[in-house]
Amino acid sequence: MSATTEIVTTFLASEDGEVNPLLPHTSELIVGLVAFALLFWFLSKFVYPMFEKTYTERSEAIEGGIRRAEEAQAEAKATLEQYRAQLADARAEAGRIREEARAEGARIVEEMRAEAQEQSARIVERGEEQLAAERQRLVTEIRADIGRIAVDLAGRIVGESLADEARRAGTVERFLDDLDTTTSSGGRS
């Protein structure tokens, strides 16, 4: 025995030979050891595996929950990125549509401007044609009036009637041609 064991034994043993109440009896010690061994065996065989199983299940549940939360977070992040990409595409599409609309509007304005110029040119041309026709009609009327007046005047001056239509027309035409020639050569000089 070791020195500490002897000290403990002597301290626990009484001096007069009586059994110390602090020391257990050997039979109690053996029964206690057997009961402890049975309890240890029962706990290690049945209770500890259940604790271990429950602990494992809870750990897996927690880790699974964390994993699911991370997956959900990753999915949410992917969905957010997809939403942002769609939003950017929609903005780009809206910009493209605006540009197309501006270009289409400019093209329509240009077409309308060209059409308006064409219509304006046609109206001016028709007006010029009408003016030319009216001028020609007026010139013809004035020539006829001038011819009639000239014949009447010439008949008064000459004293004879120039009633013969063929002679009168020839005379009037010669007079007016001479007048045009005089006016044309006078204007060029």
Side-chain angles (χ1 to χ4, degrees):
M1 283 194 349
S2 71
T4 53
T5 309
E6 281 181 32
I7 295 174
V8 171
T9 306
T10 33
F11 175 72
L12 292 175
S14 70
E15 295 177 6
D16 52 5
E18 290 184 21
V19 177
N20 190 347
L22 293 178
L23 285 179
H25 293 289
T26 311
S27 61
E28 288 178 358
L29 190 59
I30 292 174
V31 170
L33 283 175
V34 170
F36 178 75
L38 285 175
L39 181 64
F40 182 76
W41 176 80
F42 177 76
L43 289 176
S44 66
K45 197 69 166 166
F46 298 107
V47 176
Y48 181 71
M50 288 175 39
F51 280 142
E52 203 50 47
K53 181 182 173 188
T54 305
Y55 173 74
T56 305
E57 288 174 356
R58 285 188 181 176
S59 296
E60 288 176 0
I62 290 170
E63 289 174 4
I66 291 171
R67 187 174 51 250
R68 283 191 303 272
E70 288 173 350
E71 288 172 358
Q73 186 177 9
E75 185 178 329
K77 190 174 183 179
T79 304
L80 178 64
E81 289 301 320
Q82 182 181 9
Y83 168 74
R84 286 181 179 165
Q86 287 175 348
L87 185 61
D89 289 346
R91 286 180 179 157
E93 180 71 16
R96 184 185 59 79
I97 289 171
R98 275 194 304 270
E99 288 302 317
E100 286 178 2
R102 283 187 193 124
E104 183 70 17
R107 185 185 60 79
I108 290 171
V109 166
E110 191 59 36
E111 286 177 1
M112 292 179 77
R113 184 176 291 138
E115 186 177 328
Q117 287 176 348
E118 284 179 21
Q119 287 179 354
S120 173
R122 281 194 301 257
I123 291 170
V124 167
E125 186 178 324
R126 272 193 234 125
E128 287 175 354
E129 288 173 358
Q130 287 176 353
L131 282 175
E134 186 67 24
R135 182 176 178 257
Q136 187 63 34
R137 186 185 63 77
L138 287 175
V139 166
T140 305
E141 283 181 16
I142 289 175
R143 277 186 158 209
D145 286 346
I146 288 176
R148 196 173 0 104
I149 291 172
V151 167
D152 286 343
L153 186 60
R156 285 184 192 163
I157 291 175
V158 173
E160 74 179 68
S161 173
L162 299 173
D164 183 14
E165 188 63 38
R167 271 189 0 187
R168 185 176 81 174
T171 306
V172 170
E173 285 299 319
R174 267 184 284 139
F175 173 74
L176 290 176
D177 287 340
D178 287 345
L179 186 62
D180 281 342
T181 309
T182 306
T183 304
S184 296
S185 64
R188 290 183 185 161
S189 306

